[in-house]
Amino acid sequence: MAETIGSEMASDSSMSDKSAKIFVAGHRGLVGSAIVRKLQELGFTNLVLRTHAELDLTRQADVESFFAQEKPVYVILAAAKVGGIHANNTYPADFIGVNLQIQTNVIHSAYEHGVKKLLFLGSSCIYPKFAPQPIPESALLTGSLEPTNEWYAIAKIAGIKTCQAYRIQHGWDAISGMPTNLYGPNDNFHPENSHVLPALMRRFHEAKVNGAEEVVVWGTGSPLREFLHVDDLADACVFLLDRYSGLEHVNIGSGQEVTIKELAELVKEVVGFQGKLGWDCTKPDGTPRKLMDNSKLASLGWTPKVSLRDGLRQTYDWYLENVCKTNK
């Protein structure tokens, strides 16, 4: 009979062979690039990487040919179509369609061509808009989603369920990890469609360079948010591939909350902006609190290592070296 749930913990260290072929899908993004750095740092020597131009993951035949030829041992599925509220509202068909295509093609071909283990990565947006705080894994599918990103969220939920279905029907070791808000090298610092942390960093930097007297941030600064450095996420991904084999997805977060006001003050300090920080209280705050329950991952033996202050410093150094110099 096919394994349905199996042991939560893998029976042995499954990633001991540093020459094992590992396909990191989405290796140029924030998450994928960090996973590649971590694997290289740990001494893995046989990484298989493809750009979108080299392999379009939405094309089923191309994905099947790739797996038939390369036959990786492990797959980390970090490729996805991502974007902010405006993009999700404008291109809902893309956000559900492209992500479903990528997931279905990669997961099925990985199974068909003998991949030993697959890790699928999602997002905390899979949870209901009014989920309990901190959000446990069991909150999945217990309520309505946040309407602004439901297309992306539904695709990611389908990815979790696909991995579970292959485990139940075929006894195949496919697992899922759900990261919290991420930041770090290769983040999106676009002035209009970046997330709160890189947006703050860019605004304070430009204010410093231009000699501005004040930076005004939307809202009251009171909402609580959780942030995880992408290098910690990469570390957790390798840990899960090595140690976890369970049916249920696993939350990946820092477990540390910070108010938007505290975050803004910390970014201001790291950037070195000497002016004032103001708040436009006529603008919306968003969800008052969003924190993942990370007790499952902690019970498996993993904890984050990068403090928010150190992570912000490292990210700002990367921003200066890669974004500012490129834009000159």
Side-chain angles (χ1 to χ4, degrees):
M1 180 177 173
E3 173 193 6
T4 55
I5 296 178
S7 171
E8 291 278 290
M9 294 291 287
S11 58
D12 58 2
S13 179
S14 58
M15 305 255 322
S16 55
D17 181 6
K18 303 295 187 189
S19 65
K21 187 177 282 192
I22 304 174
F23 173 44
V24 181
H27 75 282
R28 282 185 162 179
L30 171 67
V31 173
S33 61
I35 290 170
V36 168
R37 287 195 303 273
K38 174 57 67 175
L39 290 170
Q40 290 172 337
E41 176 191 314
L42 293 172
F44 287 92
T45 57
N46 199 359
L47 305 186
V48 183
L49 311 173
R50 293 289 187 276
T51 64
H52 176 73
E54 292 168 332
L55 176 62
D56 183 347
L57 296 175
T58 67
R59 298 176 64 89
Q60 184 180 7
D62 293 355
V63 175
E64 287 179 352
S65 296
F66 166 79
F67 275 92
Q69 180 178 337
E70 292 293 340
K71 296 193 178 302
V73 178
Y74 301 102
V75 172
I76 302 174
L77 182 42
K81 181 174 181 61
V82 299
I85 291 172
H86 176 71
N88 269 266
N89 285 338
T90 309
Y91 308 108
D94 290 353
F95 276 88
I96 193 167
V98 169
N99 284 305
L100 285 173
Q101 287 173 320
I102 290 171
Q103 296 160 197
T104 304
N105 291 342
V106 172
I107 292 170
H108 182 70
S109 286
Y111 166 70
E112 284 287 312
H113 293 282
V115 166
K116 181 179 179 181
K117 191 168 189 176
L118 177 142
L119 169 61
F120 169 72
L121 291 171
S123 161
S124 60
C125 74
I126 62 166
Y127 291 114
K129 182 175 183 177
F130 300 111
Q133 301 290 330
I135 309 171
E137 285 87 354
S138 59
L140 183 66
L141 295 175
T142 58
S144 300
L145 299 166
E146 164 59 55
T148 55
N149 58 20
E150 66 175 340
W151 314 106
Y152 177 78
I154 286 171
K156 288 297 177 180
I157 292 168
I160 295 171
K161 290 299 176 183
T162 302
C163 289
Q164 291 177 344
Y166 276 74
R167 178 177 290 275
I168 292 167
Q169 183 172 333
H170 301 297
W172 185 50
D173 201 359
I175 61 174
S176 300
M178 298 299 120
T180 187
N181 300 310
L182 302 168
Y183 73 100
N186 287 311
D187 207 341
N188 172 20
F189 290 88
H190 191 278
E192 287 159 20
N193 60 19
S194 56
H195 293 119
V196 60
L197 196 153
L200 284 171
M201 188 166 285
R202 180 173 185 136
R203 289 190 64 198
F204 280 120
H205 172 78
E206 290 178 349
K208 180 179 79 169
V209 169
N210 296 327
E213 294 182 1
E214 184 180 31
V215 169
V216 177
V217 181
W218 277 23
T220 64
S222 63
L224 286 159
R225 292 293 182 269
E226 174 187 25
F227 295 94
L228 182 72
H229 193 281
V230 72
D231 287 350
D232 271 337
L233 170 65
D235 188 62
C237 288
V238 176
F239 176 88
L240 288 171
L241 265 180
D242 193 34
R243 305 287 183 86
Y244 180 73
S245 290
L247 183 72
E248 189 178 47
H249 62 283
V250 181
N251 287 344
I252 308 173
S254 66
Q256 301 294 313
E257 288 181 290
V258 61
T259 66
I260 296 298
K261 185 174 188 293
E262 291 168 334
L263 177 69
E265 288 170 346
L266 194 51
V267 174
K268 176 177 180 284
E269 176 192 322
V270 166
V271 170
F273 175 63
Q274 301 298 318
K276 292 190 294 184
L277 170 58
W279 297 90
D280 183 353
C281 298
T282 66
K283 296 294 193 294
D285 265 335
T287 307
R289 187 185 189 206
K290 191 176 181 185
L291 174 68
M292 305 267 270
D293 181 343
N294 300 294
S295 56
K296 182 183 179 81
L297 183 55
S299 72
L300 295 171
W302 185 87
T303 51
K305 300 170 184 64
V306 183
S307 72
L308 184 58
R309 186 184 297 271
D310 288 345
L312 288 173
R313 284 202 185 101
Q314 184 214 45
T315 303
Y316 185 52
D317 288 344
W318 183 90
Y319 173 81
L320 291 173
E321 189 66 28
N322 294 273
V323 180
C324 295
K325 285 189 177 180
T326 303
N327 291 340
K328 282 184 177 177

